[in-house]
Amino acid sequence: MKTALFLLLTVCLCCTTFTPRTAHAHPHVFIDSSLTLHFEGNSLNSINVVWTFDDMSSDMFLSDLDTNADGTLTQAEWNKQRPDIQGYLAEHSFFVHVTLNGQKLPLTTVTNFIATFENGTLTYKMDIPLIVSQKATAQKVQIAIFDPSYYSDFYTPLESITVTGKNDLQISIDDAPELAFYQGQIIPTAVTFEF
């Protein structure tokens, strides 16, 4: 009896030890994002993106950005480090993933990329040039903000989306399983509209 029990425990231990497991990541940085969609005529011309970092991440990043350690982020400090940060984000499409009728649009540059640190909160602002012209048939646009490594977690609620230049645009926030990331385990939400 003791031998049978010992063998059973050994088998259970081996199963739990050597069975492959799915890796589970968790984010370390939490960011609230907002978007302004700028239309001119019948074209979507740019997206203004604002990221507001959580308090802990704000403190952590400020320690890198604030080179003289005086607790503020000056324009000179930001100007010195902006090219490196912008270059890194460009390699990752600025974590902004835009699809047009299911096809991903490349995002390689931003303008007016600024950082501010006020009341303990770090904020990034950037404008993403993008030309999507209206066609005879409706086109579906999805804009999802996410970090595929899942080191950063972005939250983009519907109330954080504004539109200029187009009054009748119907916007929703939908799950986007076709943009699933982190080995397909995480399904992002996407700002979705047709025009």
Side-chain angles (χ1 to χ4, degrees):
M1 182 68 179
K2 286 183 180 180
T3 302
L5 183 58
F6 176 77
L7 287 174
L8 178 61
L9 290 173
T10 302
V11 169
C12 289
L13 179 63
C14 287
C15 286
T16 58
T17 302
F18 299 111
T19 301
R21 292 186 177 90
T22 303
H24 295 287
H26 58 86
H28 298 272
V29 177
F30 297 89
I31 303 169
D32 290 334
S33 62
S34 63
L35 302 175
T36 301
L37 310 177
H38 295 285
F39 284 81
E40 289 185 20
N42 292 320
S43 296
L44 173 62
N45 279 12
S46 66
I47 305 169
N48 174 259
V49 180
V50 178
W51 296 347
T52 303
F53 292 82
D54 67 275
D55 291 344
M56 187 177 296
S57 299
S58 293
D59 288 341
M60 179 179 66
F61 291 136
L62 180 66
S63 67
D64 292 330
L65 295 170
D66 177 21
T67 53
N68 65 3
D70 67 352
T72 62
L73 177 60
T74 66
Q75 189 65 49
E77 288 171 328
W78 173 243
N79 288 343
K80 184 175 180 180
Q81 298 180 75
R82 178 177 55 201
D84 289 338
I85 295 171
Q86 186 168 333
Y88 169 79
L89 291 175
E91 293 175 4
H92 301 278
S93 298
F94 303 93
F95 298 135
V96 180
H97 308 268
V98 179
T99 62
L100 176 63
N101 297 325
Q103 299 297 312
K104 188 167 182 176
L105 301 179
L107 304 177
T108 58
T109 187
V110 297
T111 60
N112 304 317
F113 183 32
I114 61 173
T116 58
F117 184 77
E118 296 176 1
N119 301 317
T121 301
L122 178 65
T123 302
Y124 281 180
K125 296 179 182 179
M126 65 191 88
D127 293 321
I128 300 176
L130 180 72
I131 302 295
V132 179
S133 299
Q134 189 171 19
K135 303 292 184 185
T137 57
Q139 303 178 97
K140 182 178 180 180
V141 177
Q142 288 185 299
I143 305 168
I145 302 180
F146 61 85
D147 172 6
S149 72
Y150 207 39
Y151 184 84
S152 303
D153 182 52
F154 291 87
Y155 176 59
T156 312
L158 186 59
E159 58 270 19
S160 72
I161 312 301
T162 57
V163 179
T164 66
K166 193 167 184 64
N167 296 325
D168 58 348
L169 194 67
Q170 300 295 315
I171 297 175
S172 61
I173 301 283
D174 301 312
D175 286 341
E178 64 276 15
L179 297 176
F181 62 97
Y182 203 76
Q183 300 172 348
Q185 296 179 59
I186 310 296
I187 296 175
T189 58
V191 177
T192 305
F193 57 91
E194 293 186 359
F195 78 106

